[in-house]
């Protein structure tokens, strides 16, 4: 592992708008007490600090379940069932990077089965008629080996960026399907907003499949978007609507229903409090563990623990350290991005290679923009 000098230092004000907003959100979190007032857990996770939220987040709290009966290994079962359909939907917690690493492995295994499009909830869906120079990088420069920070809200988390790199290397086409909110703002209830969004997502995906016959589609979503049947409150989410529109029974895989039932990833039975038929497979990850502030699953996936040089560590407030392959544009989602505080010995997690470092000190604005609508679920 080689860290190449010089280290670049940049001001937050020079960053693209959406990324600068994320840094501003981080700066608004008290580094001495990051979980005060319930904390901004998604932002801490986005900047590589899942270790700070694991003790208080429901998405890390053990939710042990009974083992699934009559199934093969996790990936073998997914492969077998994926052969019987042309749509596979995998959900995630927006606070657990391991879920993105899991989908990256699913993408690798499904590619030989003919799956060729990866649709991701997080991808920016450019409005019709947008000028070419304003379009998202993944659309106007699809051959780049990386995703750009401005390509989507959650993509700034390094694990999400690596999912994009893996998909591009495998030859997947990336497809955005989040509805565009055109026209004047309309006051709606929470239930109305959910229904409108889910209908828009399902309609966009169904139209794409209609226009591209023979496509096999892998969809990466958050939380309940993967539910195949109405939830307890009667709400119908994207997967249920897409199934109805296309007549295709998707393979739905939940990573959020069970946690910590074993020492390795396995398949569990659907919990009794979930509506029957919600998901086809329940992936049960072991309890999260951390080494020097970073998730151990990345080490198990081939990363090395790399010390941040002492002179780069902050003396006050947050500092964000990024690592990119030497020569790569700083518009890319870095191979790793982590926020550190004074006195911490938090590490970078990197695969073999030569990396250039960049450091940025977040600055809080007078008012922080609200999280986008697709950052809630």
């Amino acid at each position: 592992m080689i860290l190449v000098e010089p280290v670049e230092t940049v001001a937050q004000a020079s960053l693209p708008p959406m990324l600068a907003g994320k840094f501003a959100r981080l700066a608004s979190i008290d580094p001495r007490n990051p979980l005060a007032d319930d904390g901004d857990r998604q932002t801490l996770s986005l900047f590589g600090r899942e270790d700070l939220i694991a003790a208080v987040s429901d998405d890390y709290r053990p939710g042990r379940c009974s083992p699934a009966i009559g199934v093969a290994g996790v990936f073998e079962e997914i492969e077998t069932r994926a052969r019987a359909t042309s749509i596979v939907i995998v959900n995630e917690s927006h606070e657990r990077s391991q879920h993105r690493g899991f989908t990256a492995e699913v993408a690798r295994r499904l590619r030989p089965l003919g799956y060729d499009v990866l649709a991701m909830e997080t991808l920016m869906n450019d409005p019709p008629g947008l000028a070419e120079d304003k379009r998202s990088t993944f659309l106007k420069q699809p051959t780049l080996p990386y995703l750009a920070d401005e390509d989507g809200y959650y993509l700034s988390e390094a694990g999400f960026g690596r999912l994009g790199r893996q998909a591009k290397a495998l030859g997947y086409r990336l497809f955005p399907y989040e509805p565009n909110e055109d026209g004047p703002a309309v006051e709606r209830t929470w239930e109305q907003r959910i229904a409108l969004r889910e209908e828009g997502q399902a309609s966009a995906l169904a139209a794409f499949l209609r226009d591209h016959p023979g496509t096999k589609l892998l969809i990466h979503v958050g939380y309940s978007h993967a539910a195949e049947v109405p939830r307890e409150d009667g709400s119908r989410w994207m997967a249920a609507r897409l199934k109805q529109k296309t007549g295709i029974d998707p393979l739905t895989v939940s990573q959020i229903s069970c946690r910590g039932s074993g020492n390795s990833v396995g398949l569990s039975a659907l919990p009794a409090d979930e509506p029957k038929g919600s998901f086809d497979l329940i992936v049960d990850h072991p309890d999260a563990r951390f080494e020097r502030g970073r998730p151990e699953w990345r080490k198990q996936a081939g990363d090395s623990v790399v010390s941040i040089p002492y002179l780069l560590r902050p003396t006050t407030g947050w500092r964000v350290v990024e690592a990119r392959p030497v020569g790569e544009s700083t518009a890319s989602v870095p191979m790793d991005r982590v926020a550190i505080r004074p006195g911490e010995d938090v590490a970078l997690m990197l695969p073999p290679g030569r990396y250039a470092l960049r450091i940025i000190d977040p600055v809080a604005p007078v008012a922080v923009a609200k999280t986008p609508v697709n950052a809630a679920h």
Side-chain angles (χ1 to χ4, degrees):
M1 196 68 49
I2 301 175
L3 302 180
V4 177
E5 294 185 340
V7 175
E8 182 183 14
T9 302
V10 300
Q12 177 179 302
S14 69
L15 300 177
M18 185 161 58
L19 182 60
K22 297 169 194 175
F23 273 80
R25 293 187 71 86
L26 176 64
S28 298
I29 299 172
D30 184 353
R32 297 163 299 181
N33 189 12
L35 299 177
D37 301 321
D38 202 29
D40 186 345
R41 297 192 298 269
Q42 288 186 10
T43 294
L44 289 169
S45 176
L46 187 147
F47 283 97
R49 297 309 304 270
E50 297 165 82
D51 62 308
L52 297 178
I53 68 173
V56 299
S57 168
D58 289 342
D59 292 353
Y60 284 85
R61 187 170 294 119
R64 296 186 172 90
C65 300
S66 302
I69 304 299
V71 296
V74 176
F75 294 109
E76 291 77 10
E77 190 72 21
I78 290 174
E79 289 178 53
T80 297
R81 299 197 187 197
R83 289 186 173 93
T85 184
S86 57
I87 302 175
V88 175
I89 306 174
V90 184
N91 71 3
E92 70 156 31
S93 157
H94 292 329
E95 297 177 6
R96 295 195 66 158
S97 64
Q98 186 174 17
H99 292 177
R100 293 149 191 175
F102 180 86
T103 295
E105 179 62 16
V106 171
R108 186 182 72 80
R109 289 172 177 259
L110 294 190
R111 191 69 184 94
L113 305 184
Y115 284 80
D116 54 359
V117 175
L118 173 62
M120 295 195 289
E121 172 192 327
T122 188
L123 289 172
M124 295 292 290
N125 193 0
D126 295 344
L130 189 67
E132 181 65 21
D133 63 333
K134 302 293 186 183
R135 297 182 71 206
S136 298
T137 301
F138 78 96
L139 292 173
K140 68 182 178 183
Q141 294 179 279
T143 60
L144 288 175
Y146 55 78
L147 289 169
D149 272 306
E150 298 295 281
D151 281 338
Y153 186 81
Y154 292 112
L155 291 177
S156 295
E157 190 277 312
F160 224 144
R162 293 207 203 174
L163 168 56
R165 290 176 188 265
Q166 169 92 309
K168 282 173 165 279
L170 290 168
Y172 277 90
R173 172 179 176 175
L174 302 182
F175 178 65
Y177 62 90
E178 190 71 44
N180 285 300
E181 295 188 357
D182 296 325
V186 177
E187 196 71 28
R188 295 187 177 94
T189 66
W190 171 255
E191 292 76 15
Q192 289 171 331
R193 293 200 303 272
I194 290 294
L196 186 65
R197 184 182 177 204
E198 302 308 301
E199 182 66 18
Q201 289 184 350
S203 294
L205 289 162
F208 180 85
L209 289 170
R210 187 166 56 249
D211 294 342
H212 299 82
T215 288
K216 288 191 172 184
L217 184 61
L218 171 61
I219 311 173
H220 182 81
V221 306
Y223 300 103
S224 295
H225 297 292
E228 278 193 64
V229 301
R231 309 307 284 158
E232 298 88 340
D233 60 3
S235 59
R236 293 173 60 246
W237 292 67
M238 182 274 289
R241 294 169 186 265
L242 182 61
K243 181 177 181 178
Q244 182 182 45
K245 290 177 183 296
T246 62
I248 299 170
D249 186 8
L251 169 61
T252 51
V253 182
S254 174
Q255 299 187 81
I256 65 168
S257 302
C258 299
R259 296 169 296 280
S261 302
N263 295 322
S264 60
V265 63
L267 292 172
S268 287
L270 185 74
D273 60 355
E274 292 262 20
K276 185 177 180 180
S278 292
F279 310 103
D280 294 313
L281 294 174
I282 306 298
V283 174
D284 194 330
H285 292 281
D287 291 335
R289 294 181 174 83
F290 301 92
E291 178 177 341
R292 293 177 64 185
R294 309 309 305 280
E296 279 191 359
W297 77 265
R298 297 227 336 227
K299 188 175 178 181
Q300 295 163 3
D303 279 7
S304 295
V305 179
V306 181
S307 293
I308 296 171
Y310 183 79
L311 292 177
L312 299 185
R313 300 177 192 180
T315 57
T316 183
W318 294 101
R319 172 164 289 172
V320 175
V321 181
E322 302 175 342
R324 291 178 175 83
V326 171
E328 186 169 278
S329 167
T330 54
S332 72
V333 180
M335 275 291 192
D336 200 13
R337 169 181 278 142
V338 64
I340 56 177
R341 301 174 292 176
E344 289 188 316
D345 184 23
V346 172
L348 292 165
M349 300 290 285
L350 295 167
R354 300 174 72 247
Y355 295 93
L357 299 185
R358 183 170 82 156
I359 59 175
I360 304 162
D361 292 336
V363 178
V366 176
V368 177
K370 293 181 180 179
T371 302
V373 65
N374 69 343
H377 290 275

